[in-house]
Amino acid sequence: MRFSLGKWLLPLYAALALVFLLIPIVYTFVFSFNASVKSNIVWVGFTLDNWLNVCKAQGVCAAFGTSILVGVVATLVATALGTLMAIALARYRFKARSAISLLLFLPMATPEIVLGAGLAAQFLSAGIPKGLGTIIIAHALFCLSFVVVTVKARVASLDPALEEAGRDLYGSPAQVFWKITFPLLLPGITAAALLSFALSFDDFIITRFNNGGVETFPVFVYTAAAKGMPPEANVIASAVFLFALVLVIISQTTAAARRKRLAKIG
Amino acid sequence: MGAGAFAEAGADLELVGISKRFPGFTAIEDLDLRIPAGSFFALLGPSGCGKTTTLRLVAGLEQPTAGRILIGGKDVTNVKSFKRPVNTVFQSYALFPHMTVIENVAFGLRRRAIKDPVAKAHEALRLVELDHLASRKPQQLSGGQQQRVALARAVVNRPALLLLDEPLGALDLKLRRQMQLELKSIQTEVGLTFLHVTHDQEEAMTMADTVAVMNKGEIEQMGAPEELYELPRTAFVANFLGQSNLFTGDVTSSTGTSIVVVVAGIKLEVPKERAQRHTGQVTIGVRPEKLILHTSAPTVTPGTNTLGPGRVTDVSFSGVSTQYQIAIPGIGLITVFAQNMVFGPVVNVGAEAWVAWTVDHGFGLLDEPEHTPKFSADTDTAAIAMQTRRELLAEIEDD
Amino acid sequence: MAFAAFGSNANPVEQAPRRKSWIAWVLLVPGLAYLALFFLTPFVSLILTSFQEPVEFGDVGQFQAAFKWENYTAVIQQYWPHFLRAFGYAIAATFFALLISYPLAYFIGVKARRWPLLQALMLTLVIAPFFISFLLRTLAWKQLMSDDAPLVTALKQLTILPADGHLTGTAFSVIFGLTYNFIPFMTLPIYTTLERLDTRYIEAGSDLYASPATTFWKVTVPLSMPGIVSGTLLTFIPASGDYINASASFLGSAQTQMVGNVIEANFLGLLNYPAASALSVLLMAIILVIVAVYVKRSGTEDLL
């Protein structure tokens, strides 16, 4: 078999593309170790101090904590509402089904700036002061559609025969839901919740329009970008990145291990 | 092959010393095969025997690890598949879902810049009686219709060699019979060389001029269907093509024309020209439909082998014939197919029975008996179907 | 987890329609109420605000209900270059993102099928940028493309860049930033459709005398159209409303301002709510028109 250059072109390209994607991540990570004083632009020297004393920089940890809080609450709201809607859309036939699907699609199709400005205008005319509450409301809104899409896919792939079996075996509707449906939906719900949290944590534009001075982590970064970025922001971002990466790797390896085990049995 | 030229007729196919090795196992080892132009050739074998791999090698979808492939005398081993004058009817049909039926059929013609591709495509669709569905999409057709479109799409290109990869597998019995006849008539009408890969021995025998039985990457026997059926050379062929009753014994003597094999103390005669080996321990056999069932001890006549008495252990009615199983002590289970000339079985379970057959109907196998299991029914078509069914059920249960 | 949002690999099971559809409504009402309150009404708010007029003798930022059409004409007159730039950059970014992402998605989804572990690893790397704040990602590119960074000095030495030129603050850097940020959005939907591509179609194409290039354009691309449509929409829509990349603090400058920047400036800076709302409504309307035309042309019905 001859060695053909063409065969290696695509894998090489893919590798380069992936490296390209990772460049800013590596940059951010490297500069989290920068012993910078005012702005984190020029490399001064290597230090672990940023990592060891993350909260030394003004406002970084507070912003991070706010983002976590917002993320958790918004995720809870969006996941709860979204799961209910997903079950309704996937399982039941009713006239307004396609209209509601369209309604859910719209927030995903609307540019963030329109969503943010709209909500801000709404809060303004309603006289609601902007703050933590409005941020949470805004985040739950745009996460809702993503939750519905994710959970709906999971519900659609659920075999109704399983719940019918539950009813056949004397389970009440509530029991069937909590003991059969919900556990089977849990992977989808968890995926939706994680997606929702990730979207909320990284959101900037919608937050900026509705935060009224409350600083989430992205808001902090934005204002710091003009003044001078503390390397501790890089630390937080890198830490979040590594955490998320580890989570994904763990979930992938456990899924792969489970598949291997099942393949052996089957 | 020049662009725009149709093959005038089918071309020869020659495989010389073909081997295909995958990491971990060898699919084909040193295969030699010659298919004359214009013939309908069937490659028959159980799943995993290498027949689909052979097909893909001819189509150019796989590269052989060693050996050469010649089409019409030209070495095409290193020619890419889109340059070979070969078309395939895929097992899954592989009709392009985003194109209409007519566009599917015209696809190959357009690539070769043939004039009037749409007109020719309509012609091909008329051949398979589907011209009225030309503007439908493949998803809107039934399985049988899709199969015919796939056939039209391949045939319209008048390839030197047409490859069929178990194309009738997904069809129900009646449709399959119909398609078998249609394929045969198209082949003779257009004069193409067909290479048909299948695990259905009935299909192979019905349609093909020549059948090659493949097992574990090698061709065990090749020839006309009748030849393969009436004179199998190996136990595998004897059991894969229909059923056989096989006996193992030592050759004790031989006359001018036949050998005598002693099985469980009984002398059985086999004509020398129908026996692959004439000395030592041999396996001989006879087809179940060649056996005559006797309810009382038959008179011993020259030219006939007789076994018995035994007890009837099973009677199975299957419309045209009834299958009887007789247990003969020292020999084992004998299967008899008897055409139902009267209503009801000739004997019942538990009755005493003898079997007899004309000496000329027996055959002797090539196999060394150590490798020959007495009744290896695992490779016959019925067993394959059962196995597939079991696998499908397991798959459904896994979901 | 992010993959799930872009398509499901599970096949839906046949579900019998339930007769007790009132349960459906019970399940839907909380979510619908939330959407009505915080999505639909804000739209109405936006439209109403866009017609408002300043309160006479009022403070900056004080407006009252009115029907001032002129808000729209004023906004179009003043900011039409920003609209042009926004859609121009967005189209360019979408195009480049498609160019970059398709081969990547093809490799992962088609060529790498034999190694699912490699596929999983590569997909993880594709979505990895999501895990790091996109502001910091964009900032990183700004630093890497700044005048004192090695990249620019190298380009100047190779005279690709003139001695007084710069990369940041140009249309190039803004489009670059947009493209980079949306590569995952483009790659994942295309990957999802390509992953499901039956390679037997490619074999059939080859069997029917189509060269690899022809097979690609006539078979693979049409069959991956749903993914391409999803990806382009997921890129174009957010990109046209983006203002981070174009902002002077990041990859842009005063000359690269997009609609998003002026909406932000008007809303949060000048407190000119009617102008900002008018701009938002116009942006949304234009996007809807473009998307409707695009979806109709590419013929994919099922977006959700």
Side-chain angles (χ1 to χ4, degrees), chain B residues 138-379:
Chain B
Q139 304 89 295
Q140 298 169 295
L141 303 181
S142 72
Q145 292 169 327
Q146 286 184 15
Q147 196 271 330
R148 285 188 276 164
V149 173
L151 180 63
R153 184 175 75 172
V155 165
V156 78
N157 297 290
R158 296 288 190 280
L161 186 61
L162 187 66
L163 307 175
L164 300 111
D165 186 3
E166 307 206 44
L168 307 181
L171 304 177
D172 62 69
L173 192 61
K174 209 158 152 239
L175 196 52
R176 213 180 319 154
R177 292 257 184 276
Q178 197 184 322
M179 282 313 303
Q180 284 170 5
L181 295 169
E182 261 182 60
L183 275 175
K184 184 71 189 167
S185 75
I186 289 174
Q187 190 257 335
T188 39
E189 196 179 312
V190 184
L192 304 173
T193 313
F194 272 34
L195 173 54
H196 184 120
V197 159
T198 178
H199 63 260
D200 188 329
Q201 41 113 39
E202 223 181 291
E203 196 168 279
M205 291 202 285
T206 318
M207 297 164 73
D209 306 322
T210 315
V211 176
V213 177
M214 213 166 161
N215 185 29
K216 299 206 180 92
E218 289 179 335
I219 292 181
E220 294 230 350
Q221 189 174 352
M222 190 168 102
E226 301 81 3
E227 191 191 311
L228 252 62
Y229 185 79
E230 302 294 8
L231 197 54
R233 276 200 2 232
T234 63
F236 179 80
V237 176
N239 281 317
F240 191 77
L241 238 54
Q243 286 185 42
S244 300
N245 295 299
L246 300 179
F247 320 104
T248 310
D250 292 301
V251 180
T252 51
S253 57
S254 59
T255 69
T257 49
S258 50
I259 55 173
V260 176
V261 181
V262 174
V263 178
I266 304 171
K267 289 206 178 118
L268 298 173
E269 233 182 288
V270 178
K272 265 188 182 163
E273 59 182 17
R274 289 177 62 82
Q276 306 296 326
R277 286 176 42 240
H278 299 167
T279 53
Q281 218 188 11
V282 296
T283 306
I284 61 172
V286 64
R287 293 286 184 188
E289 71 275 6
K290 306 289 193 296
L291 295 173
I292 302 167
L293 198 59
H294 293 274
T295 44
S296 56
T299 42
V300 180
T301 30
T304 322
N305 287 317
T306 312
L307 284 176
R311 292 250 164 246
V312 178
T313 56
D314 191 66
V315 175
S316 272
F317 175 76
S318 52
V320 170
S321 59
T322 301
Q323 180 177 316
Y324 301 93
Q325 279 207 325
I326 298 153
I328 298 184
I331 307 270
L333 280 174
I334 307 255
T335 309
V336 180
F337 287 158
Q339 199 172 342
N340 289 330
M341 305 293 285
V342 295
F343 294 144
V346 175
V347 282
N348 288 312
V349 178
E352 233 189 358
W354 289 253
V355 294
W357 69 93
T358 317
V359 164
D360 285 336
H361 286 159
F363 53 80
L365 300 174
L366 191 61
D367 304 63
E368 301 285 326
E370 295 80 55
H371 304 302
T372 309
K374 248 215 175 117
F375 297 103
S376 55
D378 300 278
T379 41

Side-chain angles (χ1 to χ4, degrees), chain C residues 245-266:
Chain C
N245 285 283
S247 140
S249 317
F250 289 84
L251 289 167
S253 68
Q255 288 78 38
T256 62
Q257 301 289 287
M258 296 162 68
V259 173
N261 299 85
V262 292
I263 295 181
E264 189 216 7
N266 274 290

Side-chain angles (χ1 to χ4, degrees), chain A residues 13 18 21 24 27 81 84 91 93-94 109-111 113 122 124 137 140-141 156 158 202 204 208 218 229 237, chain C residues 12-13 15 17 27-28 30 34 37-38 45 100 122 133-136 139 141 143 180 237 244 260 264 273 284 287:
Chain A
Y13 170 80
L18 289 175
L21 280 176
Y27 179 93
L81 294 176
L84 294 176
R91 278 284 168 81
R93 298 246 185 295
F94 45 92
T110 316
I113 196 156
Q122 163 104 330
L124 197 68
I137 291 175
L141 173 71
L158 229 52
D202 200 29
F204 170 71
R208 182 110 191 297
M229 184 74 60
Chain C
V13 176
Q15 315 248 345
L27 294 171
L28 286 171
Y34 198 87
L37 201 53
F38 297 116
S45 265
I100 295 176
M122 297 187 86
S133 160
F134 91 98
L135 295 167
L136 285 173
L139 211 57
W141 280 120
Q143 315 298 26
Y180 171 82
I237 296 174
I244 303 299
E264 189 216 7
Y273 303 123
M284 190 63 202
I287 287 182

Side-chain angles (χ1 to χ4, degrees), chain C residues 42-274:
Chain C
F43 259 118
V44 176
S45 265
L46 212 58
I47 297 177
L48 290 176
T49 313
S50 67
F51 288 116
Q52 285 178 349
E53 61 184 12
V55 172
E56 247 190 291
F57 308 119
D59 248 337
V60 174
Q62 286 197 310
F63 295 91
Q64 62 193 17
F67 211 56
K68 199 166 170 219
W69 279 108
E70 297 79 28
N71 287 336
Y72 279 89
T73 43
V75 141
I76 295 174
Q77 252 180 347
Q78 190 178 5
Y79 295 118
W80 65 265
H82 299 79
F83 276 99
L84 239 55
R85 247 178 264 129
F87 291 116
Y89 293 167
I91 291 175
T94 307
F95 175 73
F96 288 117
L98 181 60
L99 225 58
I100 295 176
S101 303
Y102 198 99
L104 181 62
Y106 189 87
F107 178 74
I108 304 178
V110 179
K111 293 288 178 185
R113 270 194 212 171
R114 260 182 287 163
W115 307 282
L117 223 55
L118 179 68
Q119 277 186 317
L121 173 67
M122 297 187 86
L123 283 172
T124 310
L125 291 176
V126 167
I127 64 170
F130 283 151
F131 301 154
I132 223 160
S133 160
F134 91 98
L135 295 167
L136 285 173
R137 282 183 261 156
T138 319
L139 211 57
W141 280 120
K142 180 187 179 188
Q143 315 298 26
L144 285 168
M145 292 201 285
S146 72
D147 291 342
D148 352 292
L151 176 64
V152 173
T153 26
L155 287 177
K156 282 184 180 167
Q157 281 194 332
L158 294 169
T159 64
I160 298 178
L161 212 58
D164 62 346
H166 32 236
L167 281 181
T168 52
T170 59
F172 170 81
S173 56
V174 175
I175 295 175
F176 181 91
L178 285 171
T179 308
Y180 171 82
N181 273 310
F182 287 106
I183 288 179
F185 285 96
M186 182 69 81
T187 311
L188 287 177
I190 298 180
Y191 160 79
T192 310
T193 41
L194 283 177
E195 212 269 326
R196 278 184 244 172
L197 179 71
D198 195 337
T199 46
R200 290 178 289 196
Y201 294 131
I202 302 180
E203 286 184 350
S206 187
D207 181 78
L208 291 164
Y209 315 108
S211 67
T214 314
T215 312
F216 176 75
W217 287 110
K218 293 226 169 264
V219 179
T220 311
V221 169
L223 288 175
S224 57
M225 244 346 188
I228 296 179
V229 170
S230 287
T232 43
L233 286 178
L234 280 171
T235 302
F236 176 76
I237 296 174
S240 38
D242 184 76
Y243 69 85
I244 303 299
N245 285 283
S247 140
S249 317
F250 289 84
L251 289 167
S253 68
Q255 288 78 38
T256 62
Q257 301 289 287
M258 296 162 68
V259 173
N261 299 85
V262 292
I263 295 181
E264 189 216 7
N266 274 290
F267 205 102
L268 299 170
L270 301 170
L271 301 184
N272 189 349
Y273 303 123

Side-chain angles (χ1 to χ4, degrees), chain A residues 25-182:
Chain A
I25 301 175
V26 172
Y27 179 93
T28 309
F29 185 68
V30 165
F31 269 76
S32 70
F33 294 102
N34 189 14
S36 69
V37 176
K38 238 200 328 196
S39 72
N40 198 0
I41 299 180
V42 181
W43 182 261
V44 174
F46 184 90
T47 174
L48 284 175
D49 194 48
N50 304 330
W51 280 84
L52 297 174
N53 299 323
V54 178
C55 297
K56 196 168 63 167
Q58 185 82 312
V60 173
C61 287
F64 179 68
T66 311
S67 278
I68 299 274
L69 176 65
V70 167
V72 167
V73 178
T75 299
L76 284 172
V77 173
T79 310
L81 294 176
T83 306
L84 294 176
M85 292 192 89
I87 296 177
L89 284 172
R91 278 284 168 81
Y92 296 84
R93 298 246 185 295
F94 45 92
K95 265 182 258 174
R97 201 154 162 262
S98 35
I100 296 186
S101 287
L102 181 65
L103 178 62
L104 279 164
F105 172 73
L106 284 177
M108 289 196 288
T110 316
E112 292 204 350
I113 196 156
V114 176
L115 278 179
L119 272 171
Q122 163 104 330
F123 291 139
L124 197 68
S125 30
I128 300 176
K130 290 192 270 187
L132 195 61
T134 51
I135 302 180
I136 294 177
I137 291 175
H139 283 213
L141 173 71
F142 70 73
C143 290
L144 183 61
S145 302
F146 287 96
V147 171
V148 174
V149 168
T150 312
V151 178
K152 196 166 92 136
R154 179 83 190 163
V155 175
S157 71
L158 229 52
D159 187 354
L162 294 168
E163 288 154 317
E164 287 169 3
R167 283 199 295 275
D168 181 76
L169 293 164
Y170 317 110
S172 70
Q175 286 175 325
V176 167
F177 181 79
W178 286 113
K179 290 217 170 285
I180 298 176
T181 317
F182 188 74

